[in-house]
Amino acid sequence: MQVSGMPLLKVPFKKQTKVVFEDDESGPNTRALTRARKEQERHLQANNKEFNEKFEYVNNAIRTSKYNFFTFLPLNLFEQFQRVANAYFLFLLVLQLIPQVSSLSWYTTVVPLVLVLSMTGVKDAIDDMYRHESDKQLNNQPVLVLVNGMIKEEKWMNIKVGDIIKLQNNDSVTADVLLLSSSEPCSLTYIETAELDGETNLKVRQALTVTSNLGDNLEKLNTFKGEVRCEPPNNKLDEFKGILIYENEKYPLDNEKMLLRGCTIRNTDWCYGLVIYAGHDTKLMQNSGKTIFKRTNIDHLMNVLVFWIFLFLAGMCCILAIGHGIWDNQKGYYFQIYLPQKEKFSAPGVSTFLIFWSYLIILNTVVPISLYVSVEIIRLGNSFYINWDRKMFYIPYNTPAQAHTTTLNEELGQIQYVFSDKTGTLTQNIMVFIKCSINGRSYGDVYDMTGQKMEITEETEKVDFSYNKLADPKFSFYDKSLAEAVKKGDIMVHLFFLSLSLCHTVMSEEKEEGELVYQAQSPDEEALVTAARNFGFVFHSRTSETITVIEMGVTKVYKLLAILDFNNVRKRMSVIVQTPKGKVILFCKGADTIIWELLHSTCRFLQDVTMEHLDEFAGDGLRTLAVAFRELDEETFQRWSRKHYEASISLEDREEKLGLVYEEIEKDMMLLGATAIEDKLQDGVPETITILSKANINLWVLTGDKQETAVNIAYACNMLSDDMDDVFIINAKDSSMVLQELRSARNKMKPGSLLETDPVTAFLTRAKRKNFIMPEEVATGSFGLVINGHSLAHALEKNMEVELLRIACMCKSVICCRVTPLQKAQVVELVKKYKQVVTLAIGDGANDVSMIKAAHIGVGLSGQEGMQAVLASDFSFAQFRFLQRLLLVHGRWSYLRMCKFLRYFFYKNFAFTLVHFWYGFFSGFSAQTIYDEWFIAFYNLVYTSLPVLAMTLFDQVLRKIHECMKYPLPPPPRVRLRRTSSRRSAYAFAHQYGFGALITSGKNMKSRAKFGFGDNFSSYK
């Protein structure tokens, strides 16, 4: 941000980002986190160690390891014995040390327990050794620090808050530092933030003018005594609030003045920075805490089954103990010679009690100690299959598919709802300037001699930009009338393209004379700036205070007075510049629905004409923006500038205060026109959506685009079609009208559903809102739903959300347009709340992160909008069409393999254990074993482990892959899976029915159809 008299450059805007770094459970050290929570405001002074040490700020050393040599064994064992199965076997080991109870040798329990604990412990030790090595390498890296007017080399771990450090080209930033000066003009510093947000394009930071004068002068830097007051340490990568107090003046600080730990200096010989946050207080480390652990339905099912197995084990032991008491009371006297008992344990009650614990030891094999270890091995193997799949490798980007988690593979085979972004997910996110509307006239179409619109093909003659030596040769435009209007000097056309060349955050680099390269955070901005460049308004360069534009061959320098940021709430950005003639002008671009509310009343007619053009552009599937301007008088701007300065130096609610100040100046604007940018569909998108639809997977598109654009793309993707009975469009602006439109749509989809006699309506009337699952409803035809952001905001309210969900779930396709990132997450949460289904969200940008994290499974696409979505996702790849293979091949196989594994695993344990149970009836309930003790010890770990692991890693469905993808079968319902598991548990005694089949068969209890061990999924073959 910059105001007159306070030269501050607001460099390329970054969308709000939340980055998740996977790390160990310990995260930053507890002391640092506790102190950070108590810290209300950070106060420090440059070159003043005595002052800074009073606050006991942490140094720059980091520790991500969990253990050391002395704490590894106790801590790791403590963690492992928190698992119920491990604690249970430790309890059995204690029992086996009691001679009166023990019926097996101690090693029958120790061997499997030690092997399981050792395998897990070795894995944890290796992981922690890597963390130790990484910590040591980072903490001992060298950095140049200013000490008593001299530059000395110091280790990273010894850097403290308040130190001034020197960074050179290609250096990693040591801590979170305030940029003071650099070798580049206007103290610009180029950085790469790949470790923070995954983006490899260069970003720019710039020092305050007052500190940039320090330069490389060590004497000035050593005497610099600036004080910084700022917010306490936090994990917000895209936000920083603070002020610099220097020579009795206050200067606002924001994120564009900061160099964060994890960044890399590029194309900058040197720069100096003041350390603000160090070590675990840095934003990088603040983001390295615990990650959200997602559990699958199989995990929950296994936990329930293990719980019931414990109860079943206790029941068997009780039966055998009671049987022993009865047998001992009636016939035990005659078998004393074979089963001698000490006199003090001969009482029936005491003997029965001891036999209970003896059988608890003998029958312990029914409890699956190696179950969770085996499951992790299976999931790891299936994750490697995803990473190695060549058919999901995208050659143009050299990008493979990646599984970022190993715990959700089988959940992919249960997906029933997919929530997708549009731009960059269904489309390529490669923007091309196609059309525009300027001062009420539409440009971009080509007409023949008779006035008929022509279809643009590769053979259509392009506009000749040879008159412009700085034009981009890759840019294509076909309407010559726009070029003629530019050449004739049409004032509104010139002002339109001047706005596009000024109102942006693009950075330029001139590699050779006349060869400009633009670096933009958004493909939209690059497309608009390139269009202005080709039509004669070339954005050439920018500094902290100026923007240089070459207008029709004439170089002009505009003074940059302020940049009013874009964000997802404002949906617009503005710049205020002073022209070479001294005029102050505000240029603004943004969503048309937002800009219309800010226009002067005299623009009503032009607004209506432009709206017709926008509807036409959107009908062609183009992305649109409105462009406006306002000329300001000097007094108005100076008055606003003072308010802007006061808001910018506020440490509390700075964003809210700046937003109110922005609104004061962004009003009574004059409309210039609108832009239309093409974003083509990715390859294979319509086919993929059709296949997913055949698999009964519902696809909802959640996009911030204009309604007409979203609808047009939906028709192109086969989500909507002319064969549908109706497509309902909900665009009311008040709550009552939204409810009326929703109920009207429901009545058409399912006549009679508004009556109280309708079963679902009656159920919802009786049900408690927080604890019910929405029943399935079937519409009388094929329908689609389109709802905009204003209507969605009302529909998501508590009193209306169920109505929205009822209608949306009966529709074949749902399109939500003009929605915010928060609304995307709210829609996902709504489905999770009332539908017992597995959801998946897929997107490619920072605005999709909230949706991706809200769904059961998040998929990120590595595309043109950075890597934020990929970093927050569970799985990632480069093209939407790969989702088909991820779900219908890898997801299906993983789910079926896991179900077969569980069936076999529980079956073999019960088959082995029930022999001992039955043998008890023939051995006087005396807790005798029928198997050799070593056989019991190695039964689960050796004899029966490898076959089932081999099957679950290499087994494939008999149907060919291309048949699965062309004619997919819907996933088995979750409700049926749980119902049959609980109803059929008693049938585990019968060998002709494997226990896994009880979990996964889904047949009615009355069915007596015989099936073999490998035929449980015959319905899928």
Side-chain angles (χ1 to χ4, degrees):
M1 295 166 289
Q2 181 212 7
V3 293
S4 180
M6 290 290 172
L8 305 169
L9 174 64
K10 190 71 177 178
V11 293
F13 160 77
K14 293 182 286 300
K15 297 180 180 178
Q16 291 185 354
T17 309
K18 184 178 179 180
V19 179
V20 177
F21 294 82
E22 294 195 4
D23 200 357
D24 63 283
E25 295 179 359
S26 62
N29 60 44
T30 307
R31 180 182 175 186
L33 286 176
T34 304
R35 187 193 46 73
R37 284 194 290 266
K38 295 179 180 179
E39 186 178 345
Q40 299 297 319
E41 180 184 272
R42 174 148 297 202
H43 186 195
L44 60 102
Q45 189 176 59
N47 296 313
N48 192 340
K49 288 188 176 182
E50 292 77 11
F51 178 83
N52 299 325
E53 286 175 353
K54 293 189 300 183
F55 300 97
E56 297 183 353
Y57 297 132
V58 298
N59 61 20
N60 203 42
I62 63 167
R63 177 179 176 270
T64 60
S65 57
K66 297 169 63 175
Y67 317 107
N68 58 38
F69 180 80
F70 299 102
T71 63
F72 171 74
L73 193 60
L75 284 180
N76 189 259
L77 288 177
F78 175 76
E79 292 174 358
Q80 293 200 56
F81 281 120
Q82 287 180 331
R83 298 175 181 173
V84 177
N86 292 344
Y88 167 74
F89 277 87
L90 180 64
F91 172 68
L92 288 184
L93 179 60
V94 174
L95 287 179
Q96 286 181 308
L97 298 178
I98 303 175
Q100 293 76 20
V101 173
S102 178
S103 51
L104 290 173
S105 299
W106 58 270
Y107 55 78
T108 58
T109 300
V110 168
V111 170
L113 180 61
V114 168
L115 284 177
V116 170
L117 294 177
S118 299
M119 290 173 61
T120 307
V122 169
K123 180 186 76 69
D124 292 342
I126 293 174
D127 289 343
D128 208 56
M129 285 175 62
Y130 284 122
R131 295 191 191 103
H132 273 285
E133 188 63 31
S134 176
D135 292 346
K136 182 178 178 181
Q137 184 178 355
L138 281 174
N139 289 331
N140 289 284
Q141 286 190 90
V143 65
L144 300 177
V145 61
L146 181 66
V147 180
N148 298 325
M150 300 176 62
I151 295 294
K152 295 183 179 180
E153 187 175 288
E154 190 60 85
K155 294 180 179 179
W156 277 30
M157 68 172 70
N158 298 326
I159 298 301
K160 296 182 179 179
V161 172
D163 288 347
I164 294 179
I165 61 174
K166 180 179 182 179
L167 299 170
Q168 297 175 320
N169 193 32
N170 296 325
D171 280 355
S172 294
V173 179
T174 308
D176 290 355
V177 302
L178 171 66
L179 180 61
L180 298 178
S181 62
S182 80
S183 59
E184 300 303 298
C186 303
S187 285
L188 293 173
T189 300
Y190 297 90
I191 60 172
E192 183 182 282
T193 60
E195 286 192 32
L196 291 175
D197 54 23
E199 297 182 6
T200 56
N201 56 313
L202 297 185
K203 300 177 179 63
V204 177
R205 296 293 182 262
Q206 185 168 22
L208 292 166
T209 304
V210 67
T211 61
S212 64
N213 297 328
L214 299 174
D216 196 21
N217 190 313
L218 297 182
E219 184 178 347
K220 290 183 178 180
L221 288 167
N222 191 52
T223 57
F224 176 68
K225 298 297 181 183
E227 288 188 31
V228 173
R229 291 181 178 270
C230 62
E231 60 190 355
N234 59 70
N235 61 358
K236 299 176 182 178
L237 290 171
D238 58 343
E239 183 179 309
F240 178 76
K241 304 172 190 173
I243 56 172
L244 172 67
I245 305 172
Y246 183 57
E247 296 180 347
N248 297 323
E249 293 288 341
K250 293 182 179 180
Y251 302 88
L253 303 176
D254 57 23
N255 202 48
E256 308 308 322
K257 312 296 183 298
M258 296 291 294
L259 304 178
L260 301 183
R261 180 177 182 139
C263 297
T264 303
I265 307 297
R266 301 293 190 199
N267 300 339
T268 305
D269 293 335
W270 54 262
C271 65
Y272 287 88
L274 172 64
V275 176
I276 305 296
Y277 304 122
H280 286 285
D281 286 347
T282 60
K283 293 182 181 291
L284 176 68
M285 297 306 299
Q286 290 283 315
N287 275 283
S288 299
K290 295 181 181 179
T291 55
I292 299 174
F293 182 70
K294 297 181 179 180
R295 301 186 67 89
T296 67
N297 297 319
I298 293 291
D299 287 328
H300 293 296
L301 182 60
M302 285 193 300
N303 290 337
V304 172
L305 290 174
V306 170
F307 172 76
W308 282 106
I309 287 172
F310 274 116
L311 294 182
F312 181 67
L313 173 62
M316 287 194 297
C317 294
C318 287
I319 293 172
L320 294 171
I322 294 172
H324 172 79
I326 296 173
W327 182 88
D328 189 54
N329 186 50
Q330 295 179 356
K331 299 183 178 181
Y333 175 79
Y334 302 104
F335 291 86
Q336 285 294 315
I337 190 171
Y338 302 107
L339 301 172
Q341 291 182 339
K342 293 183 178 181
E343 189 171 329
K344 61 180 179 180
F345 297 118
S346 61
V350 176
S351 177
T352 299
F353 176 77
L354 295 177
I355 284 294
F356 174 88
W357 297 109
S358 296
Y359 270 114
L360 192 70
I361 296 172
I362 292 177
L363 303 180
N364 73 78
T365 51
V366 75
V367 178
I369 186 174
S370 60
L371 172 65
Y372 296 99
V373 175
S374 301
V375 166
E376 290 305 316
I377 294 174
I378 295 167
R379 287 172 170 170
L380 181 63
N382 289 327
S383 297
F384 281 130
Y385 289 149
I386 295 174
N387 297 340
W388 295 337
D389 193 339
R390 293 185 178 183
K391 293 186 178 180
M392 296 174 68
F393 183 85
Y394 191 56
I395 296 176
Y397 292 170
N398 194 33
T399 304
Q402 289 185 319
H404 301 287
T405 178
T406 61
T407 60
L408 301 174
N409 300 328
E410 67 271 9
E411 202 81 336
L412 292 169
Q414 289 286 282
I415 298 297
Q416 289 180 256
Y417 281 82
V418 173
F419 301 91
S420 173
D421 179 38
K422 182 188 76 68
T423 305
T425 305
L426 302 178
T427 61
Q428 297 179 16
N429 204 17
I430 300 176
M431 309 299 181
V432 181
F433 183 87
I434 295 294
K435 297 180 181 180
C436 63
S437 172
I438 305 175
N439 198 29
R441 180 176 175 181
S442 178
Y443 296 95
D445 291 322
V446 179
Y447 300 89
D448 58 18
M449 298 296 294
T450 61
Q452 297 294 320
K453 185 185 296 186
M454 297 172 57
E455 183 179 354
I456 296 177
T457 64
E458 293 182 359
E459 299 178 356
T460 306
E461 185 180 358
K462 301 178 182 178
V463 173
D464 183 13
F465 292 108
S466 59
Y467 67 91
N468 182 1
K469 295 181 180 179
L470 295 176
D472 186 347
K474 294 179 290 186
F475 179 81
S476 298
F477 200 78
Y478 300 92
D479 187 357
K480 297 181 180 179
S481 62
L482 183 55
E484 293 299 324
V486 172
K487 293 177 181 178
K488 291 179 181 178
D490 187 308
I491 296 177
M492 296 303 290
V493 173
H494 278 211
L495 201 56
F496 177 84
F497 283 115
L498 178 62
S499 174
L500 297 186
S501 65
L502 292 173
C503 187
H504 58 80
T505 56
V506 176
M507 300 299 297
S508 66
E509 183 180 359
E510 190 170 11
K511 294 187 175 180
E512 297 179 6
E513 187 175 355
E515 184 182 345
L516 289 173
V517 177
Y518 291 146
Q519 297 239 5
Q521 302 260 343
S522 165
D524 301 70
E525 281 200 330
E526 184 176 2
L528 295 177
V529 174
T530 301
R533 168 183 176 178
N534 278 264
F535 283 101
F537 291 77
V538 182
F539 164 64
H540 185 267
S541 62
R542 73 189 312 148
T543 68
S544 60
E545 301 178 357
T546 63
I547 297 178
T548 302
V549 179
I550 302 177
E551 299 180 16
M552 305 303 291
V554 179
T555 301
K556 294 185 179 181
V557 178
Y558 291 82
K559 186 176 181 181
L560 181 61
L561 302 178
I563 292 181
L564 284 59
D565 303 333
F566 172 92
N567 62 42
N568 289 313
V569 177
R570 286 167 39 79
K571 294 184 178 180
R572 63 186 183 274
M573 78 159 290
S574 302
V575 295
I576 302 177
V577 298
Q578 186 176 45
T579 69
K581 295 183 179 180
K583 294 182 178 180
V584 178
I585 303 178
L586 178 145
F587 291 104
C588 180
K589 68 178 181 185
D592 55 271
T593 54
I594 301 296
I595 300 297
W596 290 167
E597 300 174 0
L598 307 175
L599 296 177
H600 195 274
S601 57
T602 57
C603 295
R604 180 63 58 186
F605 176 75
L606 179 58
Q607 179 180 334
D608 293 338
V609 175
T610 305
M611 193 66 202
E612 293 178 5
H613 294 160
L614 285 172
D615 292 339
E616 180 183 343
F617 298 158
D620 293 334
L622 304 179
R623 294 166 57 86
T624 58
L625 287 175
V627 183
F629 80 103
R630 178 187 178 189
E631 189 169 340
L632 306 171
D633 59 74
E634 186 66 24
E635 182 181 352
T636 300
F637 173 73
Q638 291 299 334
R639 185 169 57 252
W640 176 86
S641 180
R642 287 191 290 270
K643 294 182 180 179
H644 179 260
Y645 173 71
E646 292 297 328
S648 65
I649 63 173
S650 174
L651 291 181
E652 296 182 0
D653 302 324
R654 179 184 292 184
E655 285 74 19
E656 291 77 5
K657 293 177 180 178
L658 284 173
L660 295 174
V661 173
Y662 291 165
E663 290 178 2
E664 290 185 18
I665 201 76
E666 291 175 324
K667 62 182 181 180
D668 296 331
M669 295 188 292
M670 305 301 295
L671 181 63
L672 284 172
T675 63
I677 297 174
E678 182 182 37
D679 186 12
K680 294 182 179 179
L681 281 177
Q682 294 182 13
D683 296 336
V685 167
E687 295 81 2
T688 298
I689 292 176
T690 301
I691 293 297
L692 294 179
S693 178
K694 289 182 180 179
N696 288 349
I697 297 175
N698 302 280
L699 179 65
W700 294 14
V701 172
L702 313 176
T703 177
D705 265 354
K706 191 176 174 64
Q707 177 178 306
E708 291 79 3
T709 304
V711 170
N712 185 273
I713 293 295
Y715 275 102
C717 293
N718 294 336
M719 291 184 62
L720 301 178
S721 66
D722 295 330
D723 297 333
M724 286 184 168
D725 295 281
D726 201 353
V727 176
F728 302 107
I729 298 178
I730 312 297
N731 54 15
K733 292 191 176 181
D734 62 83
S735 183
S736 60
M737 289 301 298
V738 171
L739 181 60
Q740 182 180 338
E741 290 184 7
L742 289 174
R743 288 184 172 175
S744 175
R746 175 156 63 89
N747 193 44
K748 291 181 181 179
M749 298 168 68
K750 187 183 177 184
S753 62
L754 296 180
L755 301 176
E756 294 184 0
T757 55
D758 179 73
V760 178
T761 303
F763 170 79
L764 295 177
T765 303
R766 299 190 304 268
K768 294 182 179 180
R769 279 295 171 90
K770 295 183 179 179
N771 301 312
F772 72 88
I773 300 300
M774 177 78 70
E776 292 293 333
E777 293 186 87
V778 180
T780 57
S782 178
F783 299 94
L785 176 67
V786 179
I787 184 169
N788 64 26
H790 288 295
S791 300
L792 186 62
H794 295 295
L796 289 173
E797 294 175 357
K798 290 291 183 182
N799 62 333
M800 214 182 304
E801 59 182 10
V802 174
E803 187 71 40
L804 170 66
L805 189 62
R806 288 187 67 181
I807 296 168
C809 290
M810 285 192 288
C811 290
K812 179 182 176 183
S813 300
V814 177
I815 314 294
C816 301
C817 46
R818 290 299 194 199
V819 296
T820 64
L822 177 60
Q823 287 177 323
K824 291 183 179 183
Q826 288 175 333
V827 171
V828 177
E829 293 288 356
L830 177 63
V831 175
K832 290 173 60 180
K833 181 178 180 181
Y834 293 113
K835 301 289 288 185
Q836 198 172 18
V837 295
V838 182
T839 60
L840 179 147
I842 180 171
D844 74 314
N847 59 336
D848 302 317
V849 169
S850 57
M851 173 179 70
I852 287 173
K853 298 184 76 63
H856 291 100
I857 295 179
V859 177
L861 292 189
S862 51
Q864 303 293 320
E865 292 192 23
M867 297 290 288
Q868 295 96 326
V870 171
L871 292 172
S873 66
D874 304 303
F875 301 89
S876 66
F877 40 76
Q879 294 284 285
F880 179 84
R881 67 178 184 270
F882 296 153
L883 181 65
Q884 177 182 347
R885 187 170 178 85
L886 181 71
L887 300 185
L888 303 184
V889 177
H890 293 287
R892 176 179 168 78
W893 284 0
S894 296
Y895 180 71
L896 297 184
R897 288 166 175 168
M898 187 61 70
C899 289
K900 290 182 179 181
F901 164 77
L902 291 178
R903 177 191 64 194
Y904 178 76
F905 197 95
F906 288 114
Y907 172 77
K908 69 182 180 64
N909 280 22
F910 270 73
F912 184 79
T913 305
L914 291 177
V915 172
H916 275 133
F917 177 78
W918 189 247
Y919 182 64
F921 289 87
F922 296 93
S923 60
F925 305 97
S926 55
Q928 300 300 308
T929 61
I930 194 171
Y931 298 124
D932 179 76
E933 293 179 342
W934 282 107
F935 183 82
I936 296 174
F938 287 107
Y939 176 77
N940 270 325
L941 290 176
V942 179
Y943 301 141
T944 60
S945 60
L946 295 182
V948 68
L949 284 177
M951 180 191 70
T952 50
L953 288 175
F954 302 112
D955 180 59
Q956 296 184 6
V957 184
L958 294 180
R959 297 178 71 225
K960 294 181 179 179
I961 294 177
H962 66 84
E963 291 180 357
C964 291
M965 297 179 69
K966 191 173 183 180
Y967 306 107
L969 292 167
R974 233 177 96 191
V975 177
R976 181 183 296 178
L977 182 90
R978 288 190 172 180
R979 184 180 67 242
T980 46
S981 66
S982 59
R983 285 185 179 181
R984 285 180 156 247
S985 58
Y987 283 83
F989 293 96
H991 285 262
Q992 67 266 31
Y993 289 90
F995 192 80
L998 311 182
I999 304 172
T1000 59
S1001 66
K1003 298 179 181 178
N1004 190 280
M1005 280 188 64
K1006 295 180 180 179
S1007 174
R1008 297 292 181 180
K1010 294 182 179 179
F1011 56 92
F1013 175 73
D1015 299 330
N1016 296 286
F1017 293 95
S1018 59
S1019 60
Y1020 293 93
K1021 296 182 180 179

